Amino acid sequence: MKKVFFNILIMVAIFFIFDYTIYKINIQKYNLPYSYMFTKKIAVSDENDKDYIDNMLKFREPNIVPNSDKKPIVFTGCSFVYGTGLTDKQTITYKISDLLNTSVYNFGMCSYGINTFITLLKMGIFFDKVKEEPSLVIYIYIGCHLKRIVMPNMYFERNEFLYKPDRNNHLVRKRPPFIISHSALLSSIRSFIFDINFEYNKQYQKYLLKLLKIHILEAKRLINEKYPDTKFLVLLYFDSPLFEQIAPDLEKEGIIIIRVIEELGIDPHGPEYQLPDGHPNEKIWNEIAPLLANRLKEYL
C-alpha cells in the first residue's frame, strides 16, 4: 500500500514539474504567478461573464460622426480589428469612418474570435453600446479563429466563451473542462491534439467548418432579431480554401463575403504589411480601406 501511495506521489510530482515548466516557458511575459492557474475562476454564469467582460475585455472607443445621415457600421473580430500595435487613427475602423463619413464601432477583441462576439450579443452588451441600427456588421476572419471556437487562445484566460449547437443549430454555452483549463501542461496537450487533428483529420476539419458556419449564422440571427435590416459581412483577410467550403452556404443565407486577396487585389502576407509580431500595420489598412469603402457603399 505504501509503495502504491509513493508511486502516486512520484507521478503527481512529475506532473507538476512538467506543468510548471510549461507555465514558465509561456507565461513569463504576462507576469502572472503559477498559483493563478489554480485560483482563476472559470464558470458559466452571467455574473462571471459580465465581470470578465467589464474588467478584462478592452474595446476601442467608437468613431462617432455627429449629425451623420448614415447608419453606423460595426467591425468585429480579433486583434486585427482592434489594431494591436496601432494608434486609433491607424486602425481600419477609423479609416473607414473617415472615408465614408459614418460612425464606426470597433468590437475587435485581442486573442478572441466570433465566439466571444456571440457572448456580447447574447448578453445584450452589443446592443447597449450600439443603440442605433447599423447598416453593416463586418467580421474580419483569419484562419486561427477555427481553433478559438473550440479552445481559448491562451490557456491562462480567466474565462472561456465556448459554444456548442443544440438541436436547432442555435448555440448554447459549453461548460469548460475544469482540470484542463487549470493546467498549463494539459492545455498544451489539448492544443497539440487539436493541431494534429486539424492537419490530418478531414472529418474534424468538416466539424470545425460546420461549427464556424453555425457561429456566423447565429451572430446574424441574434443581430437581426433586434436590427432586422442590418447586413452581415465577412471580410476574408487571408485566402482560405477551408473557409471557401462553407462560403456558398453562408451566401445562400444572406452573408456577404469580400476577399481581400482575390477581390481587392492585396496580398497581406508581405512583410511590408506587418508589424514585427505579425499583426497588420497601418500600410495594409491604408491600401485596403479605400477599396473596401467603395465596396461597402453598395450596402449602406
Side-chain angles (χ1 to χ4, degrees), residues 247-260:
D249 292 338
L250 292 174
E251 290 173 323
K252 287 177 184 176
E253 296 294 335
I255 304 294
I256 304 161
I257 301 173
I258 296 178
R259 299 158 178 86
V260 169

Side-chain angles (χ1 to χ4, degrees), residues 19 36 98 105 112 121 144-145 153 165 172 192 198 208 232-233 260 264:
D19 197 64
Y36 174 85
D98 187 53
Y105 290 81
Y112 293 97
L121 293 169
C144 64
H145 291 179
N153 184 44
V172 295
F192 176 76
F198 184 74
L208 290 172
F232 196 97
L233 187 152
V260 169
L264 302 186

Side-chain angles (χ1 to χ4, degrees), residues 69-281:
D69 59 351
K70 300 174 184 176
K71 293 181 179 180
I73 296 171
V74 177
F75 278 77
T76 189
C78 62
S79 52
F80 280 41
V81 176
Y82 178 85
T84 293
L86 303 178
T87 65
D88 286 341
K89 291 186 178 181
Q90 293 175 317
T91 62
I92 182 62
T93 49
Y94 179 90
K95 295 178 186 299
I96 291 295
S97 176
D98 187 53
L99 287 165
L100 295 178
N101 193 36
T102 189
S103 297
V104 176
Y105 290 81
N106 186 325
F107 279 91
M109 297 165 285
C110 300
S111 299
Y112 293 97
I114 194 168
N115 45 310
T116 308
F117 184 60
I118 294 289
T119 299
L120 301 183
L121 293 169
K122 284 180 172 288
M123 295 190 67
I125 294 169
F126 173 88
F127 303 107
D128 289 342
K129 293 179 180 291
V130 185
K131 298 183 182 297
E132 179 187 355
E133 182 174 52
S135 57
L136 284 163
V137 172
I138 300 172
Y139 166 46
I140 297 184
Y141 172 78
I142 59 176
C144 64
H145 291 179
L146 275 176
K147 191 172 187 176
R148 293 180 187 178
I149 60 177
V150 292
M151 69 183 68
N153 184 44
M154 297 179 290
Y155 57 76
F156 49 85
E157 286 295 337
R158 272 183 49 207
N159 211 340
E160 298 180 12
F161 301 104
L162 304 176
Y163 292 87
K164 60 183 178 181
D166 63 14
R167 293 179 180 178
N168 298 314
N169 276 339
H170 293 168
L171 294 175
V172 295
R173 280 290 290 278
K174 287 172 59 178
R175 192 167 296 279
F178 182 85
I179 296 177
I180 295 176
S181 297
H182 287 79
S183 166
L185 175 61
L186 295 180
S187 294
S188 297
I189 292 173
R190 173 176 62 178
S191 180
F192 176 76
I193 292 172
F194 172 91
D195 293 341
I196 295 297
N197 270 328
F198 184 74
E199 185 70 24
Y200 300 107
N201 189 334
K202 299 300 183 184
Q203 288 302 117
Y204 189 63
Q205 287 183 5
K206 289 181 180 179
Y207 162 76
L208 290 172
L209 289 172
K210 180 180 178 182
L211 189 59
L212 175 64
K213 181 174 74 172
I214 292 171
H215 274 72
I216 293 173
L217 294 179
E218 179 85 338
K220 181 180 185 298
R221 182 184 69 82
L222 292 169
I223 293 165
N224 289 155
E225 282 182 351
K226 185 172 178 66
Y227 298 138
D229 294 327
T230 299
K231 300 176 179 66
F232 196 97
L233 187 152
V234 176
L235 183 66
L236 198 62
Y237 189 79
F238 298 115
D239 279 353
S240 172
L242 279 177
F243 183 88
E244 295 297 350
Q245 293 181 32
I246 62 170
D249 292 338
L250 292 174
E251 290 173 323
K252 287 177 184 176
E253 296 294 335
I255 304 294
I256 304 161
I257 301 173
I258 296 178
R259 299 158 178 86
V260 169
I261 297 177
E262 180 183 335
E263 297 178 47
L264 302 186
I266 300 170
D267 187 350
H269 290 96
E272 70 275 19
Y273 293 133
Q274 298 176 16
L275 296 173
D277 65 359
H279 282 93
N281 61 18

